[in-house]
Amino acid sequence: MYRQRFIRCGTLFAILSCIGTHMLWGQAGAVTGLIATAYDHHVELRWDQPGNPAVRSVRVYGSRPGEQFAPLGTASIVQNTHINFVGDADVTTRYFVRPLTDGGELGTPSDTVEATTYTMSDSALLDMVQQYTFRYFYDFGHPVSGLARERNTTATVTSGGSGFGLMALIVGAERGFISREEALTRTAKIVDFLLTVPRFRGAFAHWMNGATGEVIPFSARDDGGDLVETAFLLQGLLTSRQYFSGETEAETSLRTNINRIWGDVNWNWYRKSVENVLYWHWSPNHQFAINLPLRGFNEVQIAYILGVAAPEPAHRIPASLYHTGWAGSNYTTDNTFYGIPLLVGRGKGGPLFFSHYSYLGFDPRGKRDRYANYFERNTNQSLIQYQHAIENPYNREGYGPEAWGLTASDDPNGYMAHAPDSPQTDNGTLTPTAALSSMPYTPEESMAALKHFYRDLGDKTWGIYGFYDAFNPGQNWYADSYLAIDQGPIICMIENYRSGLLWDLFMSSPEIAPALEAIGFVEDSTTTAVAQLPAFLATPPRLYPNPAGERATLSLSLERATRVTVDLLDPTGRVIAALLTATSLEGGIHEIPLLLRPRPARGLYVVRISGPGGATHLPLFINQ
């Protein structure tokens, strides 16, 4: 009898398996809770999680007034969200959805909802971009640790991007995207997890397993501490410490734990204890084998500021290291592009994340060290990139006053640090975070880019977490990826533009002001971003063609008769050729041929035009 029952049960199980789960449930019932929210050029649909386990996705239908419903797409039940980019304001659309089972059967239609897009103010557009970007860190944060995932296709978490995410939580609380208590809960979850993961003389690894904290090597020898990623993380942790300043047990405990992490980082170790520069990596397995020093100008300035500010004297680096390390190699420059002085850096300034990552918390306004005012410097780099897109020397498709911004991001060939320095680093890939995260420096230019990326290109560039990572119109390539280190600066730097919130919080850390004073920062209100044209020139000079081969022409308009010298410089400022020795020229317009022989190697150079009272500089790219 027992054996007969067993056979019958086994037979029944096999039959049920063949029938499939969807047959047992019958036709999938209607999806509930469908809501349509209208924005400027798109409508977002959200619905409740289907209760039927056979449902694997949801089919979305839409129609304009007077038209028949048609399928708009299929959405995963993991997110239960669909973006319908309608492409204009004042567009009314009706929607319903149907569940789709794993057997391919459509379920009962939901109720129909309707929404009408409307023209949003600049402030409302900024709210929208910040809120969508915030979701990457809150909705998509790792479910176990709360840390930010490296990108939207992985469970790997990133320490630096999580520092940006901590600051995004503060913005979310202040903007009403979540409550302050929700932000506190998530921040405490992250900090509690960080106390359990491997650290390397206090520094965190670049990548970790989001569930276990196990180190995921960034490269073969990069399996230990990453001082730069740790600095980005600490920038966020200190900002959180200053924000959650209440006397409740939860906030007091959070500050205690952050201080513990902060105090454990041995910055001094990462200069090999005795050298005059910090190093990026150290691991017990490979020691300092990568041997990459932290020298500017790039994204790592915050590491030196925090190293000087470290609360533990034995872990603190001397302030002199800022000058011998960060600013210790070809740091300043006389290079000027489009009449805009670069001040510090190389080439045309490099990728724009140089002006973002260290400045999510560190406020560069109203101060300078012995080399530059960094608000001015970062404004200038942003404006150089803006003018580069207008001039478009490499003839990239889609560039212009509303389409600019080169930085590290995904691109058609993988991932690259895009920059205006050459046709290789500027391959036509634009990255929304570049222009948007420069909002504090170039508010009008950045806002124009935001509107163009959203209103004109949003059907390809906008998704559930805001702007996708990058796009290349010339190659008809549009990313569907999101990266924590690109999303974070968008929400944080827009907030610094709007309120200065994160700048104010980080700078209120009691350790920061003494560190800046020790380094030699002083008050400075300079904000100008345009170099004065030397008095001997009537209008800005021009070089053509650019890029050039063996010859180029320099167009000069002189105020009066004067002596002019023209030199070719490499990106470090070294003179490599005299193109025009001191020559007397009459006032007026001159077209001066420049012979580039022997032709320098392919790359970016600077043409310096000197006369009485000063000089100006023009970029020149030389082809082989």
Side-chain angles (χ1 to χ4, degrees):
M1 177 65 71
Y2 176 80
R3 185 173 181 274
Q4 289 177 334
R5 287 178 181 173
F6 181 81
I7 292 172
R8 288 171 183 166
C9 289
T11 304
L12 177 62
F13 178 79
I15 293 171
L16 292 179
S17 298
C18 293
I19 291 174
T21 308
H22 61 279
M23 293 296 291
L24 294 178
W25 285 81
Q27 183 184 35
V31 171
T32 60
L34 179 63
I35 298 173
T37 304
Y39 294 88
D40 188 278
H41 271 46
H42 81 277
V43 175
E44 178 181 277
L45 300 175
R46 284 183 174 255
W47 52 85
D48 296 337
Q49 179 78 22
N52 187 336
V55 173
R56 292 293 180 263
S57 58
V58 172
R59 183 74 50 81
V60 180
Y61 298 81
S63 77
R64 304 284 174 88
E67 298 178 357
Q68 296 295 315
F69 278 96
L72 300 178
T74 302
S76 164
I77 62 169
V78 174
Q79 295 161 338
N80 294 316
T81 303
H82 178 79
I83 302 293
N84 179 217
F85 199 86
V86 302
D88 207 348
D90 300 317
V91 175
T92 299
T93 313
R94 296 178 298 152
Y95 303 92
F96 70 84
V97 298
R98 299 180 70 179
L100 187 64
T101 68
D102 53 6
E105 296 183 357
L106 284 167
T108 305
S110 70
D111 292 337
T112 299
V113 296
E114 182 178 286
T116 302
T117 56
Y118 64 99
T119 301
M120 298 173 72
S121 66
D122 287 2
S123 179
L125 285 170
L126 291 175
D127 284 341
M128 177 189 75
V129 171
Q130 285 187 290
Q131 184 169 18
Y132 269 73
T133 308
F134 168 79
R135 293 175 182 173
Y136 183 85
F137 297 100
Y138 193 73
D139 296 355
F140 192 59
H142 195 281
V144 175
S145 63
L147 292 165
R149 306 191 207 208
E150 169 71 10
R151 54 173 61 239
N152 62 315
T153 56
T154 183
T156 297
V157 297
T158 171
S159 50
S162 294
F164 300 168
L166 287 165
M167 301 167 96
L169 293 174
I170 295 170
V171 176
E174 288 297 296
R175 291 283 165 190
F177 307 152
I178 56 173
S179 69
R180 192 176 188 278
E181 282 304 310
E182 287 172 319
L184 174 61
T185 299
R186 176 62 64 86
T187 302
K189 178 178 184 176
I190 290 170
V191 171
D192 289 347
F193 185 83
L194 289 174
L195 287 169
T196 70
V197 306
R199 283 181 280 166
F200 304 88
R201 303 288 175 156
F204 292 87
H206 188 146
W207 285 345
M208 292 176 281
N209 181 302
T212 67
E214 180 184 1
V215 173
I216 298 175
F218 188 75
S219 63
R221 293 183 296 180
D222 188 0
D223 60 353
D226 183 314
L227 195 65
V228 175
E229 292 288 311
T230 298
F232 297 152
L233 176 57
L234 276 167
Q235 187 175 211
L237 286 168
L238 293 180
T239 305
S240 298
R241 183 191 68 180
Q242 299 305 108
Y243 180 68
F244 293 108
S245 58
E247 295 305 318
T248 64
E249 182 179 352
E251 294 193 32
T252 301
S253 175
L254 176 68
R255 293 195 301 273
T256 298
N257 288 337
I258 290 174
N259 283 333
R260 177 180 166 190
I261 293 171
W262 170 219
D264 284 347
V265 181
N266 190 341
W267 307 86
N268 202 46
W269 175 265
Y270 280 82
R271 66 179 181 118
K272 302 180 182 178
S273 299
V274 296
E275 294 198 12
N276 64 0
V277 64
L278 288 171
Y279 286 85
W280 204 302
H281 312 91
W282 177 81
S283 88
N285 296 324
H286 303 287
Q287 305 298 313
F288 289 101
I290 297 177
N291 202 40
L292 180 60
L294 304 189
R295 296 195 186 277
F297 186 84
N298 50 34
E299 75 272 31
V300 307
Q301 186 180 24
I302 191 67
Y304 279 90
I305 293 172
L306 292 175
V308 175
E312 293 294 329
H315 295 170
R316 191 181 305 150
I317 62 172
S320 61
L321 227 68
Y322 180 93
H323 304 286
T324 59
W326 163 247
S329 177
N330 295 321
Y331 188 66
T332 60
T333 180
D334 293 327
N335 289 352
T336 299
F337 304 96
Y338 317 113
I340 305 167
L342 182 59
L343 302 178
V344 296
R346 300 176 181 86
K348 272 185 164 180
L352 263 178
F353 73 85
F354 288 1
S355 290
H356 303 151
Y357 290 0
S358 279
Y359 307 98
L360 272 61
F362 172 48
D363 183 356
R365 298 173 298 176
K367 60 182 69 68
R368 62 172 294 123
D369 59 16
R370 68 178 69 164
Y371 313 104
N373 174 314
Y374 292 95
F375 187 85
E376 179 188 8
R377 186 262 163 219
N378 296 345
T379 299
N380 290 10
Q381 185 190 6
S382 301
L383 287 172
I384 287 168
Q385 286 223 11
Y386 173 75
Q387 291 296 334
H388 173 85
I390 294 173
E391 183 175 277
N392 196 6
Y394 314 130
N395 197 31
R396 301 308 187 200
E397 185 174 335
Y399 283 22
E402 296 179 336
W404 61 280
L406 305 174
T407 194
S409 70
D410 287 347
D411 81 352
N413 303 309
Y415 184 88
M416 190 170 78
H418 307 99
D421 300 330
S422 74
Q424 287 72 44
T425 58
D426 176 8
N427 67 0
T429 300
L430 293 172
T431 307
T433 189
L436 271 56
S437 301
S438 283
M439 192 75 69
Y441 312 127
T442 51
E444 293 182 5
E445 296 85 352
S446 295
M447 195 69 205
L450 183 154
K451 291 177 180 177
H452 173 62
F453 296 156
Y454 172 70
R455 288 176 173 164
D456 301 331
L457 304 175
D459 60 324
K460 298 182 285 289
T461 64
W462 185 261
I464 61 170
Y465 302 129
F467 289 109
Y468 290 119
D469 197 51
F471 60 97
N472 188 311
Q475 299 188 41
N476 194 30
W477 175 85
Y478 294 84
D480 59 2
S481 55
Y482 293 99
L483 278 69
I485 56 172
D486 290 342
Q487 295 302 101
I490 293 176
I491 181 174
C492 294
M493 290 302 271
I494 287 177
E495 189 58 41
N496 281 329
Y497 159 68
R498 301 181 80 181
S499 70
L501 171 68
L502 302 174
W503 281 343
D504 291 344
L505 287 168
F506 177 80
M507 298 302 288
S508 71
S509 300
E511 305 94 338
I512 299 303
L516 296 179
E517 182 178 359
I519 289 168
F521 276 88
V522 296
E523 289 187 12
D524 178 51
S525 59
T526 302
T527 57
T528 181
V530 179
Q532 295 295 319
L533 199 64
F536 69 90
L537 292 172
T539 60
R542 189 168 65 92
L543 272 173
Y544 64 92
N546 193 359
E550 292 184 348
R551 293 177 174 83
T553 299
L554 174 63
S555 180
L556 287 181
S557 179
L558 301 179
E559 279 282 359
R560 55 189 175 275
T562 191
R563 289 175 67 81
V564 174
T565 301
V566 181
D567 296 307
L568 184 68
L569 284 60
D570 69 14
T572 69
R574 181 176 61 91
V575 176
I576 61 172
L579 301 179
L580 180 70
T581 56
T583 301
S584 295
L585 300 174
E586 296 296 323
I589 297 175
H590 298 267
E591 301 292 319
I592 303 171
L594 304 177
L595 186 61
L596 306 173
R597 287 184 178 173
R599 189 189 305 183
R602 177 185 176 91
L604 180 69
Y605 294 85
V606 176
V607 174
R608 181 177 64 194
I609 304 109
S610 305
T616 191
H617 300 73
L618 295 175
L620 176 65
F621 190 85
I622 298 177
N623 284 319
Q624 281 189 320

